[in-house]
Short mmCIF file of all heavy atoms in Angstrom, two decimals:
data_model
loop_
_atom_site.label_atom_id
_atom_site.label_comp_id
_atom_site.label_asym_id
_atom_site.label_seq_id
_atom_site.Cartn_x
_atom_site.Cartn_y
_atom_site.Cartn_z
N ALA A 174 -4.57 -2.61 11.98
CA ALA A 174 -4.73 -3.50 13.12
C ALA A 174 -5.48 -4.77 12.75
O ALA A 174 -6.57 -4.71 12.15
CB ALA A 174 -5.46 -2.76 14.26
N SER A 175 -4.89 -5.90 13.10
CA SER A 175 -5.48 -7.23 12.84
C SER A 175 -5.90 -7.41 11.40
O SER A 175 -6.92 -8.04 11.10
CB SER A 175 -6.70 -7.45 13.76
OG SER A 175 -6.32 -7.39 15.11
N HIS A 176 -5.05 -6.91 10.48
CA HIS A 176 -5.47 -6.89 9.07
C HIS A 176 -4.30 -7.05 8.11
O HIS A 176 -4.20 -8.03 7.39
CB HIS A 176 -6.22 -5.59 8.80
CG HIS A 176 -6.92 -5.53 7.50
ND1 HIS A 176 -8.08 -4.80 7.30
CD2 HIS A 176 -6.65 -6.09 6.30
CE1 HIS A 176 -8.48 -4.92 6.04
NE2 HIS A 176 -7.62 -5.70 5.42
N GLY A 177 -3.39 -6.06 8.05
CA GLY A 177 -2.33 -6.10 7.05
C GLY A 177 -1.56 -4.81 7.01
O GLY A 177 -1.36 -4.16 8.04
N MET A 178 -1.12 -4.40 5.83
CA MET A 178 -0.39 -3.14 5.69
C MET A 178 -0.86 -2.37 4.48
O MET A 178 -1.48 -2.91 3.56
CB MET A 178 1.12 -3.37 5.58
CG MET A 178 1.56 -3.86 4.21
SD MET A 178 3.27 -3.44 3.81
CE MET A 178 3.94 -5.05 3.44
N VAL A 179 -0.53 -1.06 4.48
CA VAL A 179 -0.80 -0.18 3.36
C VAL A 179 0.46 0.63 3.08
O VAL A 179 1.12 1.11 4.02
CB VAL A 179 -1.95 0.80 3.66
CG1 VAL A 179 -2.09 1.85 2.55
CG2 VAL A 179 -3.27 0.05 3.81
N THR A 180 0.82 0.74 1.81
CA THR A 180 1.88 1.66 1.40
C THR A 180 1.36 2.55 0.29
O THR A 180 0.45 2.18 -0.46
CB THR A 180 3.13 0.90 0.90
OG1 THR A 180 2.77 0.09 -0.24
CG2 THR A 180 3.72 0.04 2.00
N VAL A 181 1.95 3.75 0.19
CA VAL A 181 1.54 4.70 -0.84
C VAL A 181 2.79 5.25 -1.53
O VAL A 181 3.89 5.17 -1.00
CB VAL A 181 0.71 5.86 -0.25
CG1 VAL A 181 -0.52 5.33 0.48
CG2 VAL A 181 1.54 6.72 0.72
N GLY A 182 2.58 5.82 -2.71
CA GLY A 182 3.70 6.41 -3.41
C GLY A 182 3.27 7.41 -4.46
O GLY A 182 2.11 7.41 -4.89
N LYS A 183 4.19 8.24 -4.87
CA LYS A 183 3.94 9.14 -5.98
C LYS A 183 3.80 8.36 -7.28
O LYS A 183 3.19 8.84 -8.24
CB LYS A 183 5.08 10.17 -6.10
CG LYS A 183 5.12 11.18 -4.97
CD LYS A 183 6.24 12.18 -5.19
CE LYS A 183 6.26 13.20 -4.05
NZ LYS A 183 7.36 14.19 -4.23
N THR A 184 4.38 7.17 -7.29
CA THR A 184 4.27 6.27 -8.44
C THR A 184 3.90 4.89 -7.94
O THR A 184 4.08 4.55 -6.76
CB THR A 184 5.59 6.18 -9.22
OG1 THR A 184 6.56 5.53 -8.40
CG2 THR A 184 6.10 7.54 -9.65
N LEU A 185 3.41 4.09 -8.84
CA LEU A 185 3.12 2.69 -8.51
C LEU A 185 4.39 1.95 -8.14
O LEU A 185 4.41 1.16 -7.19
CB LEU A 185 2.43 2.03 -9.71
CG LEU A 185 1.95 0.60 -9.54
CD1 LEU A 185 0.98 0.47 -8.37
CD2 LEU A 185 1.30 0.12 -10.83
N GLU A 186 5.46 2.22 -8.84
CA GLU A 186 6.74 1.57 -8.54
C GLU A 186 7.18 1.87 -7.10
O GLU A 186 7.66 0.98 -6.39
CB GLU A 186 7.81 2.04 -9.52
CG GLU A 186 9.17 1.38 -9.31
CD GLU A 186 10.19 1.81 -10.34
OE1 GLU A 186 9.90 2.71 -11.16
OE2 GLU A 186 11.30 1.24 -10.33
N GLU A 187 7.02 3.11 -6.68
CA GLU A 187 7.42 3.48 -5.32
C GLU A 187 6.57 2.75 -4.28
O GLU A 187 7.10 2.24 -3.28
CB GLU A 187 7.28 4.99 -5.14
CG GLU A 187 7.68 5.48 -3.75
CD GLU A 187 7.45 6.97 -3.55
OE1 GLU A 187 6.91 7.64 -4.46
OE2 GLU A 187 7.80 7.47 -2.46
N ALA A 188 5.26 2.70 -4.47
CA ALA A 188 4.37 2.05 -3.51
C ALA A 188 4.66 0.55 -3.42
O ALA A 188 4.65 -0.03 -2.33
CB ALA A 188 2.92 2.31 -3.87
N VAL A 189 4.90 -0.09 -4.57
CA VAL A 189 5.19 -1.52 -4.57
C VAL A 189 6.53 -1.80 -3.90
O VAL A 189 6.65 -2.71 -3.07
CB VAL A 189 5.18 -2.06 -6.03
CG1 VAL A 189 5.77 -3.47 -6.07
CG2 VAL A 189 3.76 -2.05 -6.58
N SER A 190 7.55 -1.03 -4.24
CA SER A 190 8.86 -1.21 -3.65
C SER A 190 8.80 -1.04 -2.13
O SER A 190 9.42 -1.81 -1.38
CB SER A 190 9.85 -0.20 -4.25
OG SER A 190 11.12 -0.31 -3.64
N LEU A 191 8.05 -0.04 -1.68
CA LEU A 191 7.95 0.20 -0.24
C LEU A 191 7.24 -0.96 0.46
O LEU A 191 7.61 -1.32 1.59
CB LEU A 191 7.24 1.52 0.02
CG LEU A 191 7.14 1.95 1.49
CD1 LEU A 191 8.53 2.03 2.14
CD2 LEU A 191 6.42 3.30 1.60
N SER A 192 6.25 -1.55 -0.17
CA SER A 192 5.56 -2.67 0.46
C SER A 192 6.52 -3.85 0.68
O SER A 192 6.47 -4.53 1.71
CB SER A 192 4.35 -3.11 -0.39
OG SER A 192 4.75 -3.71 -1.60
N LEU A 193 7.42 -4.09 -0.28
CA LEU A 193 8.42 -5.14 -0.11
C LEU A 193 9.38 -4.80 1.02
O LEU A 193 9.77 -5.67 1.81
CB LEU A 193 9.17 -5.32 -1.42
CG LEU A 193 8.35 -5.88 -2.60
CD1 LEU A 193 9.12 -5.69 -3.91
CD2 LEU A 193 8.04 -7.35 -2.39
N THR A 194 9.76 -3.52 1.11
CA THR A 194 10.65 -3.08 2.18
C THR A 194 10.01 -3.22 3.54
O THR A 194 10.63 -3.71 4.50
CB THR A 194 11.07 -1.62 1.95
OG1 THR A 194 11.83 -1.52 0.74
CG2 THR A 194 11.93 -1.09 3.10
N VAL A 195 8.76 -2.80 3.66
CA VAL A 195 8.06 -2.87 4.94
C VAL A 195 7.90 -4.32 5.39
O VAL A 195 8.09 -4.65 6.57
CB VAL A 195 6.69 -2.16 4.87
CG1 VAL A 195 5.87 -2.41 6.14
CG2 VAL A 195 6.88 -0.66 4.68
N GLU A 196 7.56 -5.21 4.48
CA GLU A 196 7.43 -6.61 4.84
C GLU A 196 8.77 -7.16 5.34
O GLU A 196 8.81 -7.88 6.35
CB GLU A 196 6.93 -7.43 3.65
CG GLU A 196 6.86 -8.94 3.88
CD GLU A 196 5.89 -9.38 4.96
OE1 GLU A 196 5.14 -8.52 5.51
OE2 GLU A 196 5.86 -10.58 5.27
N LYS A 197 9.85 -6.80 4.68
CA LYS A 197 11.19 -7.25 5.12
C LYS A 197 11.50 -6.70 6.51
O LYS A 197 12.02 -7.41 7.38
CB LYS A 197 12.23 -6.81 4.11
CG LYS A 197 13.65 -7.27 4.45
CD LYS A 197 14.63 -6.84 3.38
CE LYS A 197 16.05 -7.29 3.72
NZ LYS A 197 17.02 -6.86 2.67
N LEU A 198 11.20 -5.43 6.75
CA LEU A 198 11.44 -4.82 8.05
C LEU A 198 10.62 -5.50 9.15
O LEU A 198 11.11 -5.73 10.25
CB LEU A 198 11.13 -3.33 8.01
CG LEU A 198 12.13 -2.45 7.26
CD1 LEU A 198 11.55 -1.06 7.01
CD2 LEU A 198 13.45 -2.34 8.05
N CYS A 199 9.37 -5.82 8.83
CA CYS A 199 8.53 -6.50 9.82
C CYS A 199 9.10 -7.86 10.16
O CYS A 199 9.08 -8.28 11.34
CB CYS A 199 7.10 -6.64 9.29
SG CYS A 199 6.17 -5.08 9.23
N GLU A 200 9.61 -8.57 9.16
CA GLU A 200 10.21 -9.88 9.42
C GLU A 200 11.48 -9.71 10.28
O GLU A 200 11.70 -10.47 11.23
CB GLU A 200 10.56 -10.59 8.12
CG GLU A 200 11.21 -11.95 8.37
CD GLU A 200 11.49 -12.74 7.11
OE1 GLU A 200 11.19 -12.24 6.00
OE2 GLU A 200 12.02 -13.87 7.22
N GLN A 201 12.32 -8.73 9.95
CA GLN A 201 13.53 -8.50 10.72
C GLN A 201 13.21 -8.15 12.17
O GLN A 201 13.88 -8.64 13.10
CB GLN A 201 14.36 -7.39 10.06
CG GLN A 201 14.96 -7.79 8.74
CD GLN A 201 15.55 -6.61 7.98
OE1 GLN A 201 15.17 -5.46 8.19
NE2 GLN A 201 16.47 -6.90 7.08
N TYR A 202 12.20 -7.32 12.37
CA TYR A 202 11.80 -6.93 13.73
C TYR A 202 11.28 -8.15 14.49
O TYR A 202 11.64 -8.37 15.67
CB TYR A 202 10.75 -5.83 13.68
CG TYR A 202 10.34 -5.33 15.04
CD1 TYR A 202 11.24 -4.66 15.86
CD2 TYR A 202 9.05 -5.52 15.51
CE1 TYR A 202 10.86 -4.19 17.12
CE2 TYR A 202 8.66 -5.07 16.77
CZ TYR A 202 9.58 -4.39 17.56
OH TYR A 202 9.20 -3.95 18.81
N TRP A 203 10.43 -8.93 13.85
CA TRP A 203 9.90 -10.14 14.49
C TRP A 203 11.03 -11.08 14.89
O TRP A 203 11.05 -11.61 16.00
CB TRP A 203 8.95 -10.84 13.53
CG TRP A 203 8.30 -12.06 14.10
CD1 TRP A 203 7.16 -12.13 14.84
CD2 TRP A 203 8.79 -13.41 13.99
NE1 TRP A 203 6.89 -13.44 15.19
CE2 TRP A 203 7.88 -14.23 14.70
CE3 TRP A 203 9.90 -13.99 13.38
CZ2 TRP A 203 8.05 -15.61 14.79
CZ3 TRP A 203 10.08 -15.36 13.47
CH2 TRP A 203 9.16 -16.16 14.16
N ARG A 204 12.00 -11.27 13.98
CA ARG A 204 13.11 -12.18 14.28
C ARG A 204 13.97 -11.63 15.42
O ARG A 204 14.41 -12.38 16.30
CB ARG A 204 13.96 -12.41 13.02
CG ARG A 204 13.24 -13.24 11.97
CD ARG A 204 14.13 -13.51 10.76
NE ARG A 204 13.43 -14.29 9.76
CZ ARG A 204 13.29 -15.63 9.80
NH1 ARG A 204 13.81 -16.31 10.79
NH2 ARG A 204 12.62 -16.26 8.84
N ALA A 205 14.23 -10.34 15.40
CA ALA A 205 15.03 -9.72 16.47
C ALA A 205 14.35 -9.87 17.82
O ALA A 205 15.00 -10.12 18.84
CB ALA A 205 15.29 -8.25 16.16
N CYS A 206 13.01 -9.77 17.82
CA CYS A 206 12.26 -9.89 19.07
C CYS A 206 12.36 -11.30 19.67
O CYS A 206 12.16 -11.48 20.88
CB CYS A 206 10.80 -9.52 18.86
SG CYS A 206 10.51 -7.73 18.67
N GLN A 207 12.67 -12.29 18.84
CA GLN A 207 12.80 -13.65 19.37
C GLN A 207 14.02 -13.79 20.27
O GLN A 207 14.09 -14.68 21.13
CB GLN A 207 12.90 -14.67 18.22
CG GLN A 207 11.80 -14.57 17.19
CD GLN A 207 10.41 -14.49 17.78
OE1 GLN A 207 9.98 -15.39 18.50
NE2 GLN A 207 9.71 -13.42 17.48
N LEU A 208 15.00 -12.91 20.08
CA LEU A 208 16.24 -12.97 20.85
C LEU A 208 16.29 -11.95 21.99
O LEU A 208 17.19 -12.01 22.83
CB LEU A 208 17.45 -12.73 19.92
CG LEU A 208 17.62 -13.76 18.81
CD1 LEU A 208 18.80 -13.38 17.92
CD2 LEU A 208 17.82 -15.15 19.38
N GLY A 209 15.35 -11.04 22.00
CA GLY A 209 15.35 -10.01 23.05
C GLY A 209 14.66 -8.77 22.57
O GLY A 209 13.91 -8.79 21.59
N GLU A 210 14.91 -7.66 23.24
CA GLU A 210 14.30 -6.38 22.88
C GLU A 210 15.23 -5.65 21.93
O GLU A 210 16.37 -5.32 22.29
CB GLU A 210 14.05 -5.54 24.13
CG GLU A 210 13.18 -4.31 23.89
CD GLU A 210 11.76 -4.66 23.52
OE1 GLU A 210 11.28 -5.75 23.89
OE2 GLU A 210 11.11 -3.84 22.84
N PRO A 211 14.80 -5.39 20.70
CA PRO A 211 15.68 -4.71 19.75
C PRO A 211 16.11 -3.32 20.26
O PRO A 211 15.34 -2.62 20.91
CB PRO A 211 14.82 -4.58 18.49
CG PRO A 211 13.81 -5.67 18.60
CD PRO A 211 13.53 -5.78 20.06
N VAL A 212 17.36 -2.97 19.98
CA VAL A 212 17.87 -1.65 20.33
C VAL A 212 17.31 -0.64 19.33
O VAL A 212 17.39 -0.85 18.11
CB VAL A 212 19.42 -1.63 20.30
CG1 VAL A 212 19.94 -0.23 20.59
CG2 VAL A 212 19.97 -2.64 21.30
#
Side-chain angles (χ1 to χ4, degrees):
S175 300
H176 191 150
M178 77 153 124
V179 172
T180 60
V181 302
K183 291 182 179 179
T184 67
L185 184 57
E186 181 177 7
E187 181 184 3
V189 168
S190 177
L191 184 56
S192 69
L193 293 166
T194 296
V195 172
E196 175 64 5
K197 182 178 180 180
L198 287 167
C199 288
E200 180 176 1
Q201 291 169 337
Y202 182 66
W203 182 87
R204 290 183 180 278
C206 286
Q207 308 312 301
L208 298 178
E210 191 66 26
V212 177

